[in-house]
Amino acid sequence: MKTHDYELWLERLWKGERRAAARLISQVENNRGRIEIMCQILPRTGQRMILGITGPPGAGKSSLVGAMTHLYRDQKEKVGIVAVDPSSPYSGGAILGDRIRMQSHSTDPGVFIRSMGTRGHLGGVARSTGDVLRILEAAGYERLLLETVGVGQSELEIMELADTVIVVLNPGTGDGIQAIKAGIMEIADIFVVNKADLPGAEHLKNDIEMVLGLNGEKPWRPPVILTSVLDQRGLSELRDQIALHQNYLIQSGKNLLRRKQAFAQEVWYHWEELARQSFAIAWENLRDAEKDLEQENPYRLAEKVWASIVTEETVKHVSFSK
Amino acid sequence: MKTHDYELWLERLWKGERRAAARLISQVENNRGRIEIMCQILPRTGQRMILGITGPPGAGKSSLVGAMTHLYRDQKEKVGIVAVDPSSPYSGGAILGDRIRMQSHSTDPGVFIRSMGTRGHLGGVARSTGDVLRILEAAGYERLLLETVGVGQSELEIMELADTVIVVLNPGTGDGIQAIKAGIMEIADIFVVNKADLPGAEHLKNDIEMVLGLNGEKPWRPPVILTSVLDQRGLSELRDQIALHQNYLIQSGKNLLRRKQAFAQEVWYHWEELARQSFAIAWENLRDAEKDLEQENPYRLAEKVWASIVTEETVKHVSFSK
């Protein structure tokens, strides 16, 4: 893509053109002109809240995202959805099985759905996800939904991009205990007991509230909402609680604090990319110079590689703009 | 711990003292004299194969590990087991629920079980796991088993430490499809269809073999073994296939290749730790110097931080030995 190419696509992005968003996302994901594109997009972002939806596989996160999309579309808001599956190597328009449920939105120009996957390292996913959310915001998507597929360590880190985190659990599945184990109790701003038509929903709600009670008084106490996409139950309550939490974030100043932390985290991810580049260069040099590298002490070798990088010479080879 | 303290513990480790292993693992995990300890342990390691066991939660990995431990103990081999749960913040002797099933070994001095968890970043888990396996090898544990709890991205990366990877699946759970999705088909050296007493075991075996067939001819074709811990079925076949695979690794030279890759990966993990240290220092300096850091462009800021680190001055503050 030559410079004037993406300039044209950016012009079309500012007009909210869906195809321009898809095109620029591909460019950025494939690292073609990524930093130049993102630096132009950056000033048009940071105004919209990011809504994170996480929970164990099969909890009905995608159906819930679908139902929420309907609600926001009824309010005439444009909805941008990013679904992240760190265990999948596939990125693309809408290839996850779950996405099939979203088909009712696939012809709606006011909805943009993007699946993200990777075999790369975690920093890479979080970085790309942040880029994609920014592109969608710059394209005029007002409601940004970020969904993860599982509840592992990777998902927890991706949720750091969200302003409001919704944890979706199911009755009768032992989800309560799993949630505590995986550390998602701590990141939840709102709990959703989904599939509340199934037995045990009230029981799970009580369990969650008990655990929350143990944590003592807090300025924001995460509400526990019973929903059922099947019966359209609890959805407008969920929408209202999201609005309440986002107001709370702004009025308490927590919003700025969260963004400050997210910003530091983001700089780290970018920085790590530079570090990886220079490690790769230094490692290859060392391999060329020494035959039996594997016989050496890996701890000391790491220090040696580090020392070899920290020279003006190496820095020249490391830059985002290349 | 003063120098002569861990010297004494190391002396006891060489004699195979279980308590010395536990003590040194704690020291290393808490980063007290870690590098000094590991540098002494290193020359006594690298001879034993590491056996990785992974698969979805509930597949019966721990029971299988328990049964295999019995087999190896019957052969008078000492067994060291490391169980990694990247979604859990807890590390310790034997605190995972699954470990309860291992109780029959808890009084056997020839068996060492260690649970590893973390809320830190992935590099940290993989690094610590590698350290623990080395300590166990140096203590004379001949059979090293590395078990993970789930099948996410984190688990895949931890399995890179293993020479032989066993993927455990269950009949009738849709595990086949899940396995393909999570990318564990590619890392498996041996498939185990566990709980083969349940219906659908042969069906799952055929599914796996069909997918393997699609991958074309390979020098090592992963066998699919039906096991049942309940009926003691398939266990000695599994042991034999493990031995076959380990012979294959040695005779084909794949072993050296795998270790070469693992070595490079390990140096990267250590190197990343140094990089993180220096990032933290540089970031704090920048925060002190500039008030509205968050208004800046994070991509360019990362380059700025990188440039600021790559000076002799910063390097002085970054070292494993501090």
Side-chain angles (χ1 to χ4, degrees):
Chain A
M1 203 187 236
K2 288 174 214 130
T3 306
H4 76 276
D5 276 342
Y6 69 72
E7 293 287 353
L8 288 176
W9 285 113
L10 284 169
E11 286 304 323
R12 293 166 73 172
L13 189 76
W14 311 150
K15 291 178 194 139
E17 230 184 83
R18 203 185 146 114
R19 233 188 101 209
R23 178 65 182 262
L24 288 164
I25 287 171
S26 296
Q27 290 293 125
V28 164
E29 278 200 325
N30 296 323
N31 216 5
R32 299 185 183 192
R34 175 176 152 241
I35 301 301
E36 290 77 1
I37 293 170
M38 290 314 300
C39 285
Q40 294 214 45
I41 282 171
L42 199 67
R44 298 175 183 246
T45 64
Q47 301 309 309
R48 302 292 175 187
M49 295 272 196
I50 295 162
L51 195 58
I53 297 104
T54 190
K61 293 183 294 295
S62 293
S63 314
L64 193 71
V65 166
M68 287 164 62
T69 301
H70 273 297
L71 276 182
Y72 290 125
R73 289 300 292 144
D74 288 345
Q75 297 174 192
K76 306 279 176 243
E77 290 182 57
K78 286 177 78 183
V79 182
I81 302 164
V82 182
V84 183
D85 183 355
S87 70
S88 163
Y90 306 109
S91 279
I95 57 148
L96 288 180
D98 288 337
R99 296 276 85 70
I100 294 162
R101 282 173 246 161
M102 294 292 295
Q103 270 181 349
S104 62
H105 299 293
S106 66
T107 54
D108 178 351
V111 179
F112 192 102
I113 307 169
R114 179 84 187 180
S115 294
M116 312 266 301
T118 188
R119 290 203 183 185
H121 57 102
L122 181 62
V125 201
R127 215 164 51 218
S128 307
T129 305
D131 286 345
V132 172
L133 287 165
R134 281 196 180 128
I135 295 172
L136 293 181
E137 183 177 357
Y141 292 92
E142 299 149 288
R143 196 53 71 163
L144 301 172
L145 309 185
L146 172 61
E147 175 195 342
T148 62
V149 165
V151 283
Q153 182 66 24
S154 322
E155 282 83 358
L156 288 182
E157 292 193 29
I158 286 158
M159 277 299 131
E160 286 175 8
L161 292 166
D163 297 292
T164 297
V165 175
I166 301 174
V167 170
V168 185
L169 301 172
N170 279 178
T173 55
D175 272 359
I177 297 148
Q178 281 299 110
I180 295 161
K181 205 182 117 210
I184 58 176
M185 291 300 283
E186 290 85 348
I187 66 160
D189 300 307
I190 296 171
F191 283 94
V192 164
V193 174
N194 196 25
K195 303 184 188 171
D197 41 302
L198 297 178
E202 283 291 345
H203 187 82
L204 176 55
K205 183 178 165 107
N206 291 341
D207 277 357
I208 298 167
E209 282 174 343
M210 203 190 63
V211 175
L212 290 175
L214 295 176
N215 291 337
E217 279 308 306
K218 284 188 177 168
W220 173 263
R221 190 190 171 92
V224 185
I225 305 167
L226 299 178
T227 63
S228 166
V229 175
L230 218 64
D231 314 337
Q232 292 286 306
R233 176 180 165 195
L235 297 172
S236 54
E237 190 190 347
L238 175 58
R239 182 193 50 194
D240 295 345
Q241 288 290 347
I242 291 166
L244 275 177
H245 182 253
Q246 303 200 328
N247 281 336
Y248 158 77
L249 284 179
I250 293 164
Q251 275 159 16
S252 64
K254 279 262 155 60
N255 195 33
L256 289 177
L257 195 71
R258 273 185 101 135
R259 297 211 163 189
K260 224 168 166 156
Q261 287 164 346
F263 184 83
Q265 183 66 45
E266 187 189 348
V267 177
W268 158 255
Y269 283 140
H270 296 318
W271 189 87
E272 197 196 22
E273 192 183 329
L274 295 174
R276 269 176 197 269
Q277 285 178 36
S278 65
F279 176 79
I281 297 166
W283 181 249
E284 254 177 60
N285 289 343
L286 210 62
R287 277 193 101 120
D288 290 343
E290 294 184 42
K291 249 194 356 200
D292 288 327
L293 215 54
E294 285 75 16
Q295 304 306 315
E296 288 194 43
N297 176 322
Y299 307 94
R300 297 301 175 202
L301 203 54
E303 290 180 324
K304 199 164 149 185
V305 178
W306 178 256
S308 81
I309 276 169
V310 185
T311 65
E312 300 256 329
E313 190 51 37
T314 319
V315 171
K316 278 199 293 188
H317 296 282
V318 177
S319 154
F320 275 126
S321 305
K322 289 190 71 181
Chain B
M1 202 187 235
K2 288 174 214 129
T3 305
H4 75 277
D5 276 343
Y6 68 72
E7 292 286 354
L8 288 177
W9 284 111
L10 283 169
E11 286 303 323
R12 292 167 71 173
L13 189 75
W14 312 149
K15 290 178 195 140
E17 229 185 83
R18 202 184 148 114
R19 232 188 101 208
R23 178 63 183 262
L24 288 164
I25 287 171
S26 297
Q27 290 293 127
V28 163
E29 278 201 322
N30 296 323
N31 215 5
R32 299 185 181 193
R34 175 176 152 241
I35 300 300
E36 289 78 0
I37 293 170
M38 289 314 300
C39 285
Q40 294 214 44
I41 282 171
L42 200 66
R44 298 178 183 242
T45 64
Q47 301 309 308
R48 301 293 174 187
M49 295 272 197
I50 295 161
L51 196 58
I53 297 102
T54 190
K61 294 184 293 297
S62 294
S63 314
L64 193 70
V65 166
M68 286 163 63
T69 302
H70 273 298
L71 275 183
Y72 290 125
R73 288 302 290 144
D74 288 346
Q75 297 174 191
K76 305 280 176 243
E77 291 181 57
K78 287 178 75 183
V79 182
I81 301 163
V82 181
V84 183
D85 183 356
S87 70
S88 162
Y90 306 109
S91 280
I95 57 150
L96 290 179
D98 288 337
R99 296 276 85 71
I100 293 162
R101 284 174 244 162
M102 294 293 295
Q103 272 182 347
S104 62
H105 300 292
S106 67
T107 52
D108 178 351
V111 179
F112 192 101
I113 307 169
R114 180 81 187 183
S115 295
M116 313 267 299
T118 187
R119 289 203 184 188
H121 57 102
L122 181 61
V125 201
R127 216 163 48 218
S128 308
T129 306
D131 286 346
V132 172
L133 286 165
R134 281 197 180 125
I135 295 172
L136 293 182
E137 184 177 356
Y141 292 92
E142 300 149 287
R143 198 51 73 161
L144 302 171
L145 309 184
L146 172 60
E147 175 196 341
T148 62
V149 166
V151 283
Q153 181 67 23
S154 321
E155 282 82 356
L156 287 183
E157 292 194 29
I158 286 158
M159 277 300 132
E160 287 174 8
L161 291 167
D163 298 290
T164 297
V165 175
I166 301 173
V167 170
V168 184
L169 301 172
N170 279 178
T173 54
D175 272 0
I177 297 149
Q178 282 298 112
I180 295 160
K181 205 182 119 208
I184 58 176
M185 291 298 284
E186 290 84 347
I187 65 160
D189 299 306
I190 296 170
F191 283 94
V192 164
V193 175
N194 196 27
K195 302 183 189 171
D197 42 301
L198 297 177
E202 282 290 346
H203 187 81
L204 176 56
K205 183 179 175 207
N206 292 341
D207 278 358
I208 297 167
E209 281 174 344
M210 203 190 64
V211 174
L212 291 175
L214 296 175
N215 291 338
E217 278 309 306
K218 284 188 178 171
W220 173 264
R221 190 191 171 91
V224 186
I225 304 165
L226 299 177
T227 63
S228 166
V229 175
L230 217 63
D231 313 337
Q232 291 286 304
R233 176 181 164 195
L235 297 172
S236 54
E237 191 191 345
L238 175 58
R239 182 193 51 195
D240 296 344
Q241 289 289 347
I242 292 166
L244 275 177
H245 182 254
Q246 303 200 327
N247 280 336
Y248 158 77
L249 285 179
I250 294 164
Q251 275 159 14
S252 65
K254 280 260 156 62
N255 196 33
L256 290 177
L257 195 71
R258 273 185 100 134
R259 296 213 164 188
K260 223 168 166 157
Q261 287 164 346
F263 184 83
Q265 183 66 44
E266 187 189 348
V267 177
W268 158 255
Y269 284 139
H270 296 319
W271 190 87
E272 197 197 21
E273 193 183 328
L274 294 174
R276 269 176 198 269
Q277 284 178 37
S278 66
F279 176 79
I281 297 166
W283 181 249
E284 252 177 62
N285 290 342
L286 209 62
R287 277 194 101 118
D288 288 345
E290 296 182 41
K291 248 194 357 203
D292 288 324
L293 216 54
E294 285 75 17
Q295 304 306 315
E296 288 194 44
N297 177 323
Y299 306 94
R300 299 299 175 203
L301 201 56
E303 290 181 324
K304 198 164 151 183
V305 178
W306 178 255
S308 81
I309 277 169
V310 185
T311 64
E312 299 256 329
E313 190 51 34
T314 320
V315 170
K316 280 198 292 186
H317 297 282
V318 178
S319 154
F320 276 126
S321 305
K322 289 188 71 178

